[in-house]
Amino acid sequence: MAAAIMVAIKAMDVRTYLQYGGGGADNNFSTVAVCTAIVIVLLNIFHPKRIHLLIKSHRARRELRKLCAQKQIDEDSSTTQEDDDRPRVSGIFIHPIKSMRPVSITETKFDKHGLLSDRRLMLVRPLPTPLHGSFAKGEATHRFFTQRQAPSLATIELTPVLSQDRTRILLN
């Protein structure tokens, strides 16, 4: 720790020298360069793994910038080509009732819960009445029913009918 304090004092001496008599026109740049060098030396002494991680991440960012610049140049030069590698939506499927067969739709709307009419309903089955006579307040009275219990649910076709006031679902 005493060595770090001595290095910091020396850094202050160098900074004072650059500020009041040394340096010349590049005074600010020299001060920043000396302080940066001191910080790097201190980090290398006390945290060698951290400095190596910093250098590694700096190199990775530099490579990423090069790749992005190259990609931008490639995109600018090939504006006439059709972009087949971009992702495209090939279809929209919703499940009006959870665990039933999906329905293909051509357009949809979003609300605060996600896609309109997607998994808003669920099949449930009632639980048997408890031995003590009735369910306690807050106790579950039904269990959900999924394709794990009945794989034949996937064969039931649904047709969602969107109306102005609510959504209706027709079973086929």
Side-chain angles (χ1 to χ4, degrees), residues 114-131:
L115 290 174
L116 195 63
S117 301
D118 186 35
R119 294 177 181 91
R120 301 296 167 89
L121 303 172
M122 178 188 302
L123 291 176
V124 295
R125 61 179 171 81
L127 290 174
T129 306
L131 294 175

Side-chain angles (χ1 to χ4, degrees), residues 58-113:
H58 174 71
R59 287 179 182 157
R61 281 194 303 270
R62 187 173 47 194
E63 288 297 317
L64 186 60
R65 278 192 224 105
K66 285 180 184 176
L67 289 173
C68 289
Q70 184 62 37
K71 177 103 172 128
Q72 185 65 33
I73 291 170
D74 291 346
E75 285 180 359
D76 290 343
S77 65
S78 65
T79 55
T80 58
Q81 295 177 354
E82 187 175 330
D83 294 333
D84 291 336
D85 58 341
R86 288 189 179 177
R88 304 213 187 274
V89 176
S90 61
I92 303 172
F93 295 90
I94 62 169
H95 295 261
I97 300 176
K98 185 174 172 69
S99 293
M100 294 257 184
R101 179 183 237 167
V103 176
S104 175
I105 55 176
T106 57
E107 61 182 30
T108 187
K109 295 181 181 178
F110 287 90
D111 63 4
K112 64 181 181 178
H113 302 293

Side-chain angles (χ1 to χ4, degrees), residues 4 9 31 43-44 51 65 71 83 94 109 114 121 125 142-143 155:
I9 291 171
T31 304
L43 278 175
N44 205 11
I51 193 72
R65 278 192 224 105
K71 177 103 172 128
D83 294 333
I94 62 169
K109 295 181 181 178
L121 303 172
R125 61 179 171 81
H142 291 77
R143 296 289 279 193
T155 63

